[in-house]
Structure formats: C-alpha cells, structure tokens
Amino acid sequence: MTNAPEDQPDDRRTATNESRTYENVPEDAEWEVVTQVPYDPSEADGLTTTIVYAVAEAEDVSPSDIKQPPLYEVVDTAALESALFGSESSIRATQCSTEFMYRGRRIVVETDGWVIVHEQAER
C-alpha cells in the first residue's frame, strides 16, 4: 500500500468520485455477514441484479432504492462474471472469491455462487 497523504490517516482508504469523496472503513475493521444471496449464472438475472438485491436486503430497502453510487462505478460486473463464472473460466474448478466495497459494505462474490454482504462489526 502506498503512503497516505499527510492530511489523511494511514488506516483509511478513500475513493473519489467527481465532487464527492466516499470514505471507507478502516482496513483493520472486523466484519460480520449481513446477508447471503445465491447467484446462478444459468438463470436470467445477471450478477449485477443479484448484487443489488443482496445490498437492498442488507439495507432493508427496495432494490430500486440502490442507486448511488451506481454499481458500475465501483466494479465491472460483466468482467467479474466472465472471470468467475464464464464458460472459459478455469477458476470455477477451484474455490475462489473476490471482494469490493460498495455503499460502506464489503461485498464478496464466490465461485460457488454466493454473493455475501458484510457490515463493519460493532466494537
């Protein structure tokens, strides 16, 4: 990891999106699972839809309320879907996952088809 600027604490990650800055949780945060949603690449709903529904469930809101920031600004779900679930993917033969931050939550997508939403645990 690169050194943080002097005006930013070393233990925080920040992503800038146009005029807004989203500050993520400390890197050493403890996480707890809020929800798990199965994803089946052979069904009509895409990975993007599954992630949005999982986040909506975690936030106890309608999926139509999950708009900001747009998921495509955070992760390329088409590339993620292709890498983890595509027919040419050799990753599917092994258990593997990837994670990213979205709306202050840690989202984990596993090759066994689970989308898992974590929140920072209360200390």
Side-chain angles (χ1 to χ4, degrees):
M1 188 171 150
T2 60
N3 292 335
E6 290 181 27
D7 62 336
Q8 178 181 340
D10 288 343
D11 66 341
R12 307 212 40 103
R13 292 174 285 170
T14 303
T16 302
N17 178 3
E18 295 179 9
S19 63
R20 294 197 320 183
T21 298
Y22 299 98
E23 190 170 274
N24 294 331
V25 296
E27 289 183 37
D28 63 347
E30 294 183 27
W31 296 93
E32 59 186 27
V33 173
V34 179
T35 190
Q36 298 182 84
V37 176
Y39 169 67
D40 183 351
S42 67
E43 291 187 7
D45 288 339
L47 184 58
T48 299
T49 301
T50 302
I51 292 169
V52 168
Y53 274 72
V55 171
E57 185 176 312
E59 294 184 9
D60 197 25
V61 298
S62 168
S64 63
D65 293 335
I66 307 297
K67 296 177 183 172
Q68 292 299 321
L71 185 58
Y72 66 82
E73 288 184 0
V74 176
V75 66
D76 183 343
T77 56
L80 183 61
E81 189 167 19
S82 176
L84 295 179
F85 305 105
S87 61
E88 300 297 318
S89 178
S90 61
I91 292 176
R92 289 201 69 187
T94 61
Q95 178 61 28
C96 165
S97 66
T98 191
E99 65 183 61
F100 57 93
M101 294 294 297
Y102 182 60
R103 295 174 62 100
R105 290 172 171 74
R106 187 175 77 173
I107 312 300
V108 178
V109 180
E110 298 181 338
T111 54
D112 64 359
W114 287 101
V115 174
I116 305 168
V117 180
H118 298 82
E119 283 184 350
Q120 184 178 3
E122 299 282 329
R123 288 188 186 200

